[in-house]
Amino acid sequence: MTWDVLWPLLWQATLETLWMVLPSALIAQILGTALGAVLTLTRPGGLRPQAVVYRGLDAVVNVGRSLPFIILLVLLIPLTRLITGTSIGSTAATVPLTMAAIPFVARLVDGALRDVPGGVVEAARAMGASTAQTVFKVLLPEARPALVHGFTVMLVSLIGYSAMAGAIGGGGLGDVAIRYGYQRFETGVMIATVLALLVLVQAVQWLGDRIATRTDHR
Amino acid sequence: MSTAPPPPALEFSRVTKTYPGQPQAALQDLTLRIPRGSRTGIIGRSGAGKSTLVRLISGLETPDLGHIQVQGQPLTPATLKQLQARTGLVFQHFNLLAQRSVLHNVTLPLELRGTPKVLRERRARELLQLVGLEALAGRYPAQLSGGQKQRVGIARALVTDPDLLLADEATSALDPETSAGLLTLLTELQRERDLTLILVTHQLEVIRAATTHVAVLDQGRLVEAGETASVLRQPQSAVTRALLDAHRPEHPLLAGETLHHLTLPDLGAATLDRLARQRARIVRAEAHALGVDVWLTAPDHVPAAELGRTGLGGTGLSGIETPRLIPEVSA
């Protein structure tokens, strides 16, 4: 395969990967943050302890985290159809990717929020902050660097997962690696794909670290 | 001439608080009135119930028994929000938000009350000016010294224009000189703004330096309360005497340190000798009580025994201030 064929192929695959990963990451970040915040608030000793709610959500998050992605991919086919109208292609892959990332984000957010010093939270409460104000004006802003870092870690994981989604027709870099590199024994394409993934992951990690550091005033 | 006395700034009536799972009450049948316009110190060792007292006043806990009145109003869930606005809190570890600038730390209490941005920032700048930090409004807490952080804490506590300022071990994490500066600031603010200041502390130095009244807590009970001068001069309880014994300033006094409400026997001969050599300034208690500070400078090398002859011995020194820069005494 020559460069003038490989290059558009890789470029197209990279765009597909981003198309799968970025919307999934954004939606998962929003829903996962909400879930993580609820975990932090409802845990014993939290601002709004609710043992039953906490134990239920905690179990759901653990199950979500322990399901292998390839299984989730198959399990979610009916839901994927319901939402996107199809179960193959890049757009369809966003559903399982989002669902896999939500518990991951929830866990990271829960940890990040619990790392906000208790004294700061109590100070806000003593100033008369409501629970919602404590979450939106104190907990989330104070945890911002950890949240940015968590988002980066999640994005990198999703790029990895998206390669698996590619295997069942999701497209993207993983799909190219398997179709050309593995099934047609084109080792060169395989290596080029791996390099493209490497560059993508590096770029995401570098950007994420940079934003986290830049916006951290500690 | 007789008018009804205003209600105390804060009143605890038979308050008991026990934390779940604890065998002993954190506060036991506490009755305490904090006079309006006073600077009241609340002192006790750790475990005495000081933190519980603070948490009750700030509404983070509710009493199991008894009730609390703030400015004559009962502290209940219905009045909590309003009373929280009238109480400013200053914390030992400052509790500033690391990701907010100095200015926006000070605006936070107003933001929580929905004050418009322009108004709250104007108000915050006024307060920062008051504590001498207007130039640092755009910095972040991590860029400040401990003393500066606490000044931000004080500005934040005062931004809602409270009647009551509650400082919980506000100077305990700071070095003695910074502490002294902050206590001076708090005292000035209390006078200028007609506040009631409550200083919760385990340090007798703080009580001496800055309070008019004191309450001594031990194991969740009030053991003694009254005007600072009389409590320190004639402690009635063993706990207070133990606190006084532990804090006799036999350690070298630090530059700029001010001790208040001392009596000569508190000090000991060696300290008096050194104070005399250091040209310590001595304030007479009687004059101080009249609101006139009379400063007498002890002459060089007056032996301790002779200090008594200057007319200050025996009963009442209200303060000894060491000069800021103590020159080395050459032999």
Side-chain angles (χ1 to χ4, degrees), chain A residues 36 40 43 105-116 143 146-147:
Chain A
T40 301
R43 75 170 51 242
V105 174
R107 205 43 98 202
L108 290 173
V109 169
D110 181 31
L113 297 187
R114 277 190 293 145
D115 280 345
V116 174
L147 295 176

Side-chain angles (χ1 to χ4, degrees), chain A residues 119-120 122-130 133 137-138 141-142 144-145 215-218, chain B residues 55 58-60 81 84 89 91 95-100 108-109 111-113 140 142 156:
Chain A
V120 171
E122 292 219 322
R125 277 182 68 204
M127 284 173 213
S130 65
Q133 284 178 322
K137 296 207 182 282
V138 180
E142 287 296 292
R144 189 180 53 222
T215 58
D216 189 357
H217 299 292
R218 279 174 298 181
Chain B
R55 295 179 68 83
S58 52
L60 295 176
K81 275 260 171 341
Q84 275 174 333
L89 288 161
F91 305 90
N95 293 345
L96 300 178
L97 277 69
Q99 308 295 349
R100 277 181 172 244
L108 181 61
E111 201 177 320
L112 296 174
R113 285 182 180 83
Y140 286 84
R156 179 176 71 177

Side-chain angles (χ1 to χ4, degrees), chain A residues 120-211:
Chain A
V120 171
V121 177
E122 292 219 322
R125 277 182 68 204
M127 284 173 213
S130 65
T131 305
Q133 284 178 322
T134 308
V135 171
F136 289 105
K137 296 207 182 282
V138 180
L139 284 175
L140 290 174
E142 287 296 292
R144 189 180 53 222
L147 295 176
V148 172
H149 181 71
F151 183 74
T152 310
V153 172
M154 185 259 287
L155 213 53
V156 169
S157 301
L158 281 192
I159 292 171
Y161 284 171
S162 76
M164 269 189 261
I168 63 149
L173 287 164
D175 187 35
V176 170
I178 289 174
R179 273 194 291 134
Y180 291 81
Y182 181 70
Q183 291 168 346
R184 296 193 201 167
F185 306 105
E186 293 208 43
T187 314
V189 179
M190 176 93 98
I191 291 171
T193 319
V194 170
L195 285 176
L197 278 169
L198 197 75
V199 169
L200 196 58
V201 168
Q202 282 292 333
V204 166
Q205 191 67 52
W206 178 83
L207 198 66
D209 288 348
R210 199 176 154 79
I211 292 170

Side-chain angles (χ1 to χ4, degrees), chain B residues 279-291:
Chain B
R279 296 170 166 275
R281 297 198 295 167
I282 295 170
V283 199
R284 278 181 72 160
E286 294 80 0
H288 199 71
L290 293 171

Side-chain angles (χ1 to χ4, degrees), chain B residues 194-230:
Chain B
D194 199 21
L195 295 165
T196 304
L197 175 65
I198 301 179
L199 290 166
V200 177
T201 183
H202 68 282
Q203 295 175 312
L204 198 66
E205 294 88 329
V206 171
I207 303 293
R208 280 198 170 115
T211 66
T212 58
H213 293 69
V214 65
V216 184
L217 293 184
D218 190 58
Q219 297 188 338
R221 291 170 190 274
L222 180 72
V223 293
E224 190 161 355
E227 289 187 14
T228 306
S230 63

Side-chain angles (χ1 to χ4, degrees), chain B residues 11-323:
Chain B
E11 186 169 15
F12 276 65
S13 307
R14 312 208 61 175
V15 169
T16 296
K17 173 73 190 175
T18 311
Y19 292 108
Q22 295 292 314
Q24 232 194 328
L27 279 181
Q28 180 75 53
D29 200 20
L30 179 79
T31 297
L32 175 66
R33 302 169 129 240
I34 291 179
R36 188 175 290 247
S38 69
R39 294 191 300 279
T40 297
I42 293 173
I43 189 167
R45 291 173 287 202
S46 53
K50 305 189 296 290
S51 306
T52 305
L53 195 82
V54 172
R55 295 179 68 83
L56 287 167
I57 299 169
S58 52
L60 295 176
E61 302 285 350
T62 48
D64 300 335
L65 291 171
H67 59 268
I68 301 169
Q69 292 204 320
V70 183
Q71 316 291 353
Q73 264 188 289
L75 186 65
T76 63
T79 59
L80 180 63
K81 275 260 171 341
Q82 185 213 341
L83 291 177
Q84 275 174 333
R86 297 176 67 183
T87 306
L89 288 161
V90 180
F91 305 90
Q92 177 173 9
H93 299 296
F94 326 123
N95 293 345
L96 300 178
L97 277 69
Q99 308 295 349
R100 277 181 172 244
S101 67
V102 164
L103 181 71
H104 291 123
N105 264 282
V106 179
T107 59
L108 181 61
L110 296 176
E111 201 177 320
L112 296 174
R113 285 182 180 83
T115 309
K117 189 175 164 75
V118 177
L119 280 181
R120 66 187 190 234
E121 291 192 354
R122 186 193 305 153
R123 179 98 185 103
R125 284 184 197 281
E126 285 168 19
L127 267 300
L128 283 172
Q129 194 167 9
L130 195 68
V131 299
L133 289 183
E134 67 272 31
L136 303 184
R139 299 259 183 105
Y140 286 84
Q143 298 168 291
L144 306 183
S145 70
Q148 289 171 333
K149 284 182 199 171
Q150 198 56 297
R151 281 168 190 266
V152 177
I154 292 168
R156 179 176 71 177
L158 291 176
V159 79
T160 55
D161 209 7
D163 313 299
L164 185 68
L165 186 60
L166 176 60
D168 182 12
E169 300 279 9
T171 61
S172 303
L174 302 167
D175 63 77
E177 199 151 349
T178 309
S179 262
L182 280 171
L183 288 175
T184 306
L185 174 67
L186 285 170
T187 305
E188 283 169 9
L189 289 170
Q190 182 272 330
R191 289 207 188 102
E192 283 163 17
R193 304 173 78 85
D194 199 21
L195 295 165
T196 304
L197 175 65
I198 301 179
L199 290 166
V200 177
T201 183
H202 68 282
Q203 295 175 312
L204 198 66
E205 294 88 329
V206 171
I207 303 293
R208 280 198 170 115
T211 66
T212 58
H213 293 69
V214 65
V216 184
L217 293 184
D218 190 58
Q219 297 188 338
R221 291 170 190 274
L222 180 72
V223 293
E224 190 161 355
E227 289 187 14
T228 306
S230 63
V231 169
L232 294 188
R233 213 168 291 157
Q234 288 165 335
Q236 300 298 308
S237 77
V239 176
T240 314
R241 280 195 290 276
L243 280 168
L244 283 165
D245 280 342
H247 285 82
R248 267 178 214 288
E250 281 169 16
H251 67 87
L253 289 175
L254 291 140
E257 186 175 8
T258 307
L259 298 174
H260 289 279
H261 304 301
L262 286 172
T263 59
L264 279 181
D266 277 342
L267 286 168
T271 308
L272 283 174
D273 261 346
R274 208 188 56 253
L275 285 174
R277 282 203 306 277
Q278 292 170 348
R279 296 170 166 275
R281 297 198 295 167
I282 295 170
V283 199
R284 278 181 72 160
E286 294 80 0
H288 199 71
L290 293 171
V292 189
D293 285 2
V294 175
W295 295 93
L296 297 177
T297 305
D300 273 334
H301 301 287
V302 177
E306 286 183 27
L307 265 177
R309 290 192 214 144
T310 59
L312 299 164
T315 49
L317 296 184
S318 73
I320 291 181
E321 188 184 75
T322 56

